[in-house]
């Protein structure tokens, strides 16, 4: 999620200790398990190893003094546990509270594989493709593999997964290569063979303009949020405020991030491999401020945030259309207040993890004081054309992806 308050302070870095135990499926300790902790500076970059150790004869481990950013919605730490003859276990989002209790990791014996072949549209094998189910760069050698000269890969440390016969659940396998956009395919069990054809990128390009000064905006981040396939791609504007995104086939919401401004997001622009969607210009406006308070209607009082907890409000609206998965967010202060910069128009604001919601129409340059109330949900439900569009596009993409998977023999 993207922070949308007036200013986003730098996260506080805190050192924590992480301890735990590795067990097999019979609850017996496993010795000599390689424990690694990785820290992500950015999801667009490979992680950096922050700590390492091994389990002792009782399967126990401890790593001390691991730095983590505590003022974030998502943790920047990932812990991995690997041992010969076992599937790798991965623990995501290690937060400071995890230092207060031991972690228990269960490693399954007899690891299974995800394997297959990666080719281009002409059937030529593509070497050096990084393959992994991770939504971001995987830790080195963990649940990942590179394709060889024949385009073949095998991820050998997966846990066996046999879904219920009536289950429709599927997971995403991602393919990274510098000459192609981040691509993905689905798998429905482990082990499974997944063959993939990487297609030429679809291009989206345009310019970011500050509507207040009417000047182009250099060196700002532009994000394309996929609607049907949920891929996310970023780029930086050049000195002329121009950007260029290399993406996969999908429809995208395109937005930019700038201090003291908010973008009027381009909605559902279509991206077709081998083609360019030009003139996708983004206007940055001053926007309005929703100055809100969490409010309980029964007690008729503001709702404070308990000590030691970090909570957020989310927002869908002209800057963050509900057709995509990513809302704008703002941190809630200890007294239950928050400030959220939004694009002009109707915005839906909700308390993450609670039942306080509201629709608010905000004008450009306006500061609107509101109470975010826990009214019955039916009173706030409205027809949302963006959400409806997202559902239609996802349904169409599911049909297209199933047809392509069948053609690839998956």
């Amino acid at each position: 999620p993207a922070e949308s308050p007036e200013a986003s302070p730098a996260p506080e870095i805190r050192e924590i200790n992480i301890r735990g135990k590795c067990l097999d499926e019979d609850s017996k300790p496993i010795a000599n398990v390689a424990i690694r902790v990785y820290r992500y500076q950015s999801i667009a970059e490979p992680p950096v190893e922050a700590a390492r150790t091994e389990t002792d004869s009782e399967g126990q481990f401890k790593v001390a003094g691991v730095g983590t950013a505590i003022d974030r919605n998502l943790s920047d730490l990932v812990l991995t546990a690997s041992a010969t003859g076992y599937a790798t276990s991965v623990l995501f989002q290690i937060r400071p509270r995890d230092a207060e209790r031991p972690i228990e990791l269960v490693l399954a014996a007899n690891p299974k594989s995800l394997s297959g072949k990666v080719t281009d549209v002409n059937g030529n094998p593509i070497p050096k493709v990084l393959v992994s189910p991770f939504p971001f760069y995987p830790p080195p050698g963990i649940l990942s593999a590179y394709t060889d000269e024949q385009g073949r890969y095998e991820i050998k440390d997966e846990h066996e997964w046999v879904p219920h016969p009536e289950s429709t659940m599927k997971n995403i396998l991602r393919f990274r290569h510098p000459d192609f956009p981040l691509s993905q395919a689905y798998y429905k069990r482990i082990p499974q063979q997944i063959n993939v054809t990487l297609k030429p990128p679809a291009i989206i390009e345009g310019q970011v303009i500050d509507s207040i000064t009417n000047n182009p905006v250099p060196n700002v981040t532009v994000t394309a949020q996929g609607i049907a396939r949920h891929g996310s791609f970023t780029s930086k504007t050049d000195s002329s405020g121009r950007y260029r995104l290399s993406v996969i086939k999908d429809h995208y919401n395109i937005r930019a991030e700038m201090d003291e401004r908010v973008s009027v997001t381009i909605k559902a622009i279509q991206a077709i491999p081998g083609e360019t969607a030009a003139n996708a210009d983004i206007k940055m406006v001053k926007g309005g401020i929703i100055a809100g308070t969490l409010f309980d209607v029964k007690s008729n009082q503001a709702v404070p945030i308990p000590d030691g907890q970090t909570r957020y409000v989310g927002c869908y609206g002209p800057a963050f259309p509900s057709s995509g998965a990513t809302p704008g967010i703002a941190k809630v202060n200890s007294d239950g207040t928050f400030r959220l910069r939004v694009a002009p128009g109707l915005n839906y604001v909700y308390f993450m993890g609670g039942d306080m919601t509201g629709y608010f129409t905000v004008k450009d340059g306006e500061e609107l004081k509101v109470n975010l109330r826990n009214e019955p949900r039916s009173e706030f439900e409205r027809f949302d054309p963006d959400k409806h569009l997202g559902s239609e596009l996802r349904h169409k993409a599911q049909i297209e992806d199933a047809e392509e998977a069948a053609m690839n023999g998956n």
Side-chain angles (χ1 to χ4, degrees):
E3 289 263 9
S4 299
E6 291 184 275
S8 298
E12 177 186 351
I13 303 299
R14 173 183 171 184
E15 289 191 349
I16 63 173
N17 300 326
I18 304 171
R19 59 193 175 94
K21 176 182 286 190
C22 291
L23 305 172
D24 65 17
E25 293 174 295
D26 295 323
S27 298
K28 295 180 180 179
I30 308 174
N32 303 318
V33 178
I35 303 295
R36 303 289 184 267
V37 180
Y38 296 91
R39 183 177 181 189
Y40 283 86
Q41 304 288 348
S42 165
I43 60 173
E45 301 174 358
V48 176
E49 185 178 299
R52 64 163 54 197
T53 189
E54 288 189 353
T55 58
D56 60 21
S57 60
E58 299 298 322
Q60 297 181 349
F61 67 88
K62 181 178 181 179
V63 288
V66 181
T68 181
I70 66 172
D71 191 17
R72 291 188 180 180
N73 190 39
L74 297 176
S75 169
D76 55 359
L77 296 180
V78 169
L79 183 146
T80 67
S82 303
T84 302
Y86 293 90
T88 296
S89 181
V90 179
L91 179 63
F92 296 96
Q93 300 181 20
I94 304 173
R95 298 180 175 89
R97 66 171 178 264
D98 293 316
E100 300 172 3
R101 59 183 184 274
I103 297 168
E104 187 174 287
L105 299 172
V106 177
L107 279 66
N110 302 315
K112 303 302 179 181
S113 297
L114 289 172
S115 60
K117 186 175 182 179
V118 182
T119 58
D120 63 20
V121 291
N122 296 316
N124 300 312
I126 307 175
K128 299 181 180 179
V129 178
L130 177 58
V131 186
S132 173
F134 277 71
F136 33 79
Y137 274 93
I142 300 297
L143 298 178
S144 61
Y146 281 92
T147 54
D148 61 18
E149 292 300 318
Q150 287 73 47
R152 298 193 177 279
Y153 68 91
E154 184 178 9
I155 303 173
K156 300 179 180 180
D157 55 342
E158 290 278 4
H159 187 291
E160 183 176 17
W161 174 40
V162 181
H164 188 275
E166 297 181 1
S167 173
T168 59
M169 181 179 177
K170 56 186 179 180
N171 287 321
I172 299 175
L173 193 62
R174 295 168 174 86
F175 301 80
R176 291 176 169 84
H177 190 282
D179 295 338
F180 297 87
L182 175 63
S183 303
Q184 62 188 38
Y186 294 99
Y187 61 97
K188 300 179 181 179
R189 62 189 179 278
I190 300 174
Q192 184 178 339
Q193 186 175 72
I194 306 100
N195 299 321
V196 172
T197 299
L198 297 188
K199 299 177 181 179
I203 303 299
I204 302 174
E205 59 185 21
Q207 189 177 34
V208 179
I209 301 294
D210 185 343
S211 64
I212 307 300
T213 64
N214 207 33
N215 292 327
V217 185
N219 198 37
V220 295
T221 298
V222 178
T223 299
Q225 176 69 51
I227 295 174
R229 296 172 176 87
H230 301 301
S232 181
F233 302 84
T234 61
S235 179
K236 286 276 191 178
T237 57
D238 62 17
S239 58
S240 299
R242 302 202 64 83
Y243 72 89
R244 180 182 173 89
L245 288 156
S246 176
V247 302
I248 63 173
K249 179 182 178 181
D250 205 343
H251 289 74
Y252 291 89
N253 295 326
I254 315 293
R255 70 173 189 274
E257 299 172 22
M258 177 184 176
D259 290 341
E260 303 300 322
R261 298 286 189 273
V262 65
S263 64
V264 178
T265 295
I266 301 174
K267 298 181 181 181
I269 188 169
Q270 186 176 16
I272 301 173
E275 298 185 11
T276 297
N279 302 316
D281 297 340
I282 303 171
K283 291 185 178 181
M284 307 302 296
V285 298
K286 185 175 182 181
I289 299 295
I290 295 179
T293 301
L294 303 182
F295 193 83
D296 178 54
V297 295
K298 292 183 178 180
S299 64
N300 200 38
Q301 293 181 345
V303 179
I305 301 300
D307 291 342
Q309 294 189 16
T310 302
R311 296 294 182 90
Y312 295 84
V313 292
C315 176
Y316 286 111
F320 297 92
S322 56
S323 55
T326 303
I329 66 170
K331 183 181 176 182
V332 180
N333 300 316
S334 59
D335 61 355
T337 62
F338 61 89
R339 294 177 65 82
L340 183 69
R341 186 180 296 273
V342 300
L346 183 65
N347 288 270
Y348 172 68
V349 183
Y350 63 99
F351 178 48
M352 292 182 168
D355 59 355
M356 301 171 196
T357 62
Y359 283 93
F360 307 104
T361 300
V362 184
K363 299 177 182 179
D364 198 33
E366 177 186 24
E367 179 168 323
L368 184 67
K369 294 184 178 181
V370 303
N371 287 331
L372 200 63
R373 304 160 65 90
N374 53 350
E375 299 280 2
R377 199 171 188 82
S378 60
E379 295 186 19
F380 290 102
E381 290 178 353
R382 303 185 185 185
F383 175 75
D384 187 333
D386 290 334
K387 189 174 182 179
H388 179 71
L389 174 62
S391 297
E392 287 188 334
L393 293 175
R394 282 187 284 275
H395 177 69
K396 181 179 178 181
Q398 286 176 355
I399 297 173
E400 293 176 351
D401 291 346
E403 292 174 347
E404 183 174 337
M407 290 178 62
N408 285 325
N410 295 333

